Amino acid sequence: MAAIMIYKVFPKLNHDTAKLTHLILHAIATVLGAFGIYCAFKYHNDSGIANLYSLHSWLGIGTISLYAIQWVFGFVTFFFPGAAPSVRRSALPWHALFGLFVYVLALATAELGFLEKLTFLESGGLDKYGAEAFLVNFTALVVVLFGASVVVAAVTPAHVEEPRGYAPIPIN
Amino acid sequence: MAAIMIYKVFPKLNHDTAKLTHLILHAIATVLGAFGIYCAFKYHNDSGIANLYSLHSWLGIGTISLYAIQWVFGFVTFFFPGAAPSVRRSALPWHALFGLFVYVLALATAELGFLEKLTFLESGGLDKYGAEAFLVNFTALVVVLFGASVVVAAVTPAHVEEPRGYAPIPIN
């Protein structure tokens, strides 16, 4: 999220600094995502649960793969060695669009995860209308709204600073 | 989908015809969606299953509500009585953005539905790696890819027809 928003939240940041931060934050996210998937496999194997049968797992593996591809593509095109200016110009909107697609895929995977885990808990006896179930579902809704606000902030044009100052307010 | 794409797929269609088709298709989709939700309640009540406890149901109710709000807002602003031209101009990009958001929500609800139904079937004994489970998961992936292609087609600029013709191909 912070990696997507850096150019919008800090429009006056030095461009190279913003780019490097964007790159590093996404690298950290990729590593954390891959570690999360490793943990899922380890937990499954330790508990004797089957691997890779649910849509959550399929979409999750697909998302982290696309995320890593997007990172490598961005690194090669915009950082090192870096493509020709005309290529970068035409690639940038696709980089942003594909990045938002992967972000939305990550959100969808999270929603599937909330539903899957809660369904398991409920089939194990958890009250369907209890506080814990409501907590999970409301958290999932907050994730949807938060994700939508990030996408809106990313696609709307940057804020143009208008000249401000004090002016006498006329009486009547 | 057809309702979203009408302006892009038929760029030469009379604008009023395109708008009316857009409006009617979305109206049909809203009615079908509401009927689908009615059927879910009826099935639950007839089978003694609890209602409105899962994320699929919460997100589904939210999506159809936003869909209906978006339809009424669009009808009033762009069709009857219709807002002033300046209001329509500034409202149009938000109408499109919010429409795509609701479309993505509908896709997410469908994904949750695939996962929820399959989880119930699997906890009832269906083979986790069987043909039926694979069919559901691959259908769900096709829905994701199809949805992404609709969004891409909707957000990319309209195709500009370039002059075409035959030209002699030089030898060497």
Side-chain angles (χ1 to χ4, degrees):
Chain A
M1 188 285 291
I4 294 173
M5 296 303 297
I6 188 109
Y7 298 100
K8 284 288 164 69
V9 176
F10 304 110
K12 283 169 183 166
L13 200 64
N14 175 288
H15 185 66
D16 285 343
T17 312
K19 210 163 78 170
L20 193 65
T21 314
H22 179 78
L23 185 162
I24 292 172
L25 287 175
H26 275 306
I28 294 171
T30 311
V31 171
L32 288 177
F35 181 67
I37 288 173
Y38 163 77
C39 291
F41 276 102
K42 184 165 162 48
Y43 168 68
H44 278 192
N45 292 338
D46 290 354
S47 316
I49 301 171
N51 279 309
L52 288 177
Y53 67 88
S54 87
L55 186 58
H56 172 67
S57 64
W58 288 31
L59 210 59
I61 296 276
T63 302
I64 196 73
S65 306
L66 292 177
Y67 201 103
I69 290 168
Q70 165 84 337
W71 192 89
V72 170
F73 178 85
F75 185 87
V76 170
T77 311
F78 301 108
F79 197 79
F80 183 81
S86 66
V87 174
R88 294 159 79 135
R89 236 191 321 276
S90 57
L92 188 58
W94 292 105
H95 178 73
L97 182 64
F98 191 75
L100 285 176
F101 171 59
V102 177
Y103 180 65
V104 171
L105 275 189
L107 292 170
T109 307
E111 297 298 309
L112 291 172
F114 283 123
L115 182 119
E116 192 175 33
K117 183 68 196 176
L118 188 55
T119 304
F120 290 148
L121 291 173
E122 285 169 352
S123 69
L126 188 82
D127 181 7
K128 285 187 170 67
Y129 302 105
E132 197 169 343
F134 274 32
L135 181 65
V136 173
N137 280 350
F138 275 113
T139 307
L141 290 186
V142 168
V143 168
V144 166
L145 295 174
F146 176 77
S149 65
V150 168
V151 172
V152 167
V155 298
T156 50
H159 176 65
V160 178
E161 193 78 25
E162 283 177 28
R164 272 184 300 196
Y166 291 101
I169 298 167
I171 296 163
N172 286 349
Chain B
M1 188 285 291
I4 293 172
M5 297 302 298
I6 188 107
Y7 298 102
K8 284 286 164 70
V9 176
F10 303 110
K12 283 168 185 168
L13 200 64
N14 173 289
H15 184 65
D16 285 344
T17 312
K19 209 162 79 170
L20 193 65
T21 314
H22 179 79
L23 185 162
I24 291 171
L25 287 175
H26 275 306
I28 294 170
T30 312
V31 172
L32 288 178
F35 180 68
I37 288 173
Y38 163 76
C39 291
F41 276 102
K42 183 166 164 46
Y43 168 69
H44 278 192
N45 292 337
D46 291 354
S47 317
I49 300 171
N51 279 308
L52 288 178
Y53 68 87
S54 87
L55 186 58
H56 173 66
S57 64
W58 288 32
L59 210 59
I61 297 277
T63 303
I64 196 74
S65 306
L66 291 178
Y67 201 102
I69 290 168
Q70 165 83 336
W71 192 89
V72 170
F73 178 85
F75 186 86
V76 170
T77 310
F78 300 108
F79 196 79
F80 183 80
S86 65
V87 174
R88 294 158 80 136
R89 235 191 323 275
S90 56
L92 188 59
W94 291 105
H95 178 73
L97 181 64
F98 191 75
L100 286 176
F101 170 60
V102 176
Y103 180 65
V104 171
L105 276 188
L107 292 169
T109 306
E111 297 299 308
L112 291 172
F114 283 123
L115 182 118
E116 192 175 32
K117 183 69 195 176
L118 188 55
T119 304
F120 290 148
L121 291 173
E122 285 169 350
S123 68
L126 188 83
D127 182 7
K128 285 188 170 67
Y129 302 104
E132 198 169 343
F134 274 32
L135 181 65
V136 173
N137 280 350
F138 275 113
T139 308
L141 289 186
V142 168
V143 168
V144 166
L145 294 175
F146 176 77
S149 65
V150 169
V151 172
V152 167
V155 299
T156 48
H159 176 65
V160 179
E161 194 76 25
E162 283 177 28
R164 273 185 298 198
Y166 292 101
I169 299 168
I171 296 164
N172 287 349

